[in-house]
Amino acid sequence: MSYSKLTKINKYAGFGKRKVKPPEIVLQPKADDATDLPEDIRALIPRMGERQARIVWQWRKKGLRASSPEVLVYDWLTKKRIRFEFQSSFFGGRIFRGGLVNDFALYHLPQGVMIWRIQGEYYHSPTKEKDEANKQRLLMSRVKNQKVVSVVDLWERDIFRGVNGVCQDALSGRGRRG
């Protein structure tokens, strides 16, 4: 019942002008453990925020096996309807020594293929020389009869801070670092 109806009822009942306070609404803060996310996804919230953690959880429920930054980029590419191949193998992939498995091969360019590599802060920081050598090998290769025109590194921390900006920069052929 609204406040104005309460005052009219009091007037018609003969109570005169009596002030009726509307009921107070007390909001209870949501407890940290009240979320429906599993423990491993909840642990990601301080690093990437709850919205992005929920995106990771949705894709994992669908069966996507990937790291959290890979899932966020996968989600972004899917929403933008950009043609891509996930976990594409080059030079024999995991089967042959020296083979590579790159995170994303994008087929949206008329002049060729763009490779996106998701780089983690822990594993990829000390291996810069090896990553640069692999980048040069990829730039000299072809995928599905198309030349690889660009190899862009997307860093985990940057993706967590803003996947949209990182992916927009990567589409233009430049990474946020180096």
Side-chain angles (χ1 to χ4, degrees):
M1 187 177 287
S2 71
Y3 178 73
S4 62
K5 285 185 181 179
L6 280 174
T7 56
K8 287 180 183 177
I9 290 173
N10 284 334
K11 179 182 172 186
Y12 294 135
F15 292 123
K17 288 208 169 203
R18 180 187 269 182
K19 290 193 175 187
V20 178
K21 287 185 177 179
E24 292 185 27
I25 299 173
V26 179
L27 297 176
Q28 297 293 329
K30 189 175 180 182
D32 289 339
D33 56 351
T35 183
D36 58 339
L37 297 173
E39 187 62 37
D40 60 331
I41 300 296
R42 252 187 280 157
L44 295 173
I45 292 175
R47 294 176 61 205
M48 69 171 70
E50 186 171 354
R51 193 178 126 265
Q52 290 182 333
R54 288 194 177 279
I55 291 171
V56 170
W57 176 233
Q58 288 170 355
W59 281 105
R60 294 229 175 120
K61 283 194 296 188
K62 292 178 184 177
L64 181 64
R65 295 211 178 273
S67 67
S68 300
E70 289 172 348
V71 170
L72 294 174
V73 173
Y74 188 99
D75 179 67
W76 189 88
L77 289 169
T78 303
K79 287 179 180 173
K80 297 292 182 185
R81 297 184 180 184
I82 296 173
R83 259 188 52 212
F84 68 94
E85 185 178 318
F86 180 62
Q87 298 290 320
S88 54
S89 296
F90 291 87
F91 313 116
R94 292 185 177 100
I95 297 172
F96 297 109
R97 185 181 174 129
L100 300 173
V101 177
N102 290 301
D103 299 310
F104 298 95
L106 282 65
Y107 300 106
H108 78 288
L109 300 174
Q111 63 267 38
V113 177
M114 180 182 284
I115 305 294
W116 286 5
R117 302 183 302 180
I118 308 298
Q119 306 285 32
E121 306 295 331
Y122 180 77
Y123 289 107
H124 290 280
S125 290
T127 62
K128 290 181 181 177
E129 295 84 18
K130 184 178 177 183
D131 285 340
E132 186 61 33
N134 287 335
K135 181 178 182 176
Q136 296 304 319
R137 285 175 59 202
L138 287 167
L139 286 171
M140 294 185 289
S141 65
R142 297 179 77 75
V143 179
K144 296 185 180 177
N145 218 11
Q146 289 183 326
K147 185 178 183 334
V148 175
V149 294
S150 179
V151 178
V152 181
D153 293 332
L154 288 75
W155 288 87
E156 175 182 27
R157 188 177 301 148
D158 298 336
I159 292 169
F160 289 162
R161 288 182 183 154
V163 68
N164 189 43
V166 170
C167 291
Q168 289 290 349
D169 288 349
L171 274 180
S172 63
R174 63 181 191 274
R176 293 262 171 117
R177 301 183 194 179

